[in-house]
Amino acid sequence: MAIANYQEALPYLRFLPLLHDLPKQPFFVVYDAQADVLYIDFNNPPQSAGDSEITDDDIVIRYNDAEAIVGLTILNASQR
């Protein structure tokens, strides 16, 4: 889906203040509105996970084979 005009793109600028508190590294954020799932990948390009665990608050922590966290999957993202 493309954004039709600049006015529709403006809400995305609300992310900018959050960038100051995040580690300075490339990352990807993808939101699947149909599934209401937010994917955050901490590598560029995203790495495959070899293992994962789900927290009590429905966040899936994805690990690579070295047991480093490569991403988070946030279920029911719009309800948070």
Side-chain angles (χ1 to χ4, degrees), residues 3-12 14:
I3 300 294
N5 59 58
Y6 182 64
Q7 293 301 318
E8 286 184 21
L10 288 177
Y12 290 92
R14 293 181 192 147

Side-chain angles (χ1 to χ4, degrees), residues 6 12-13 18 28 32 35 43 46 49 57 62 64 68 70-72 77:
Y6 182 64
Y12 290 92
L13 299 180
L18 299 174
F28 286 96
D32 180 338
N43 296 284
D57 57 349
R62 293 178 276 123
N64 64 12
V70 295
L72 301 173

Side-chain angles (χ1 to χ4, degrees), residues 55-71:
T55 66
D56 291 339
D57 57 349
D58 290 336
I59 296 175
V60 179
I61 304 170
R62 293 178 276 123
Y63 299 93
N64 64 12
D65 292 336
E67 299 185 17
I69 296 174
V70 295

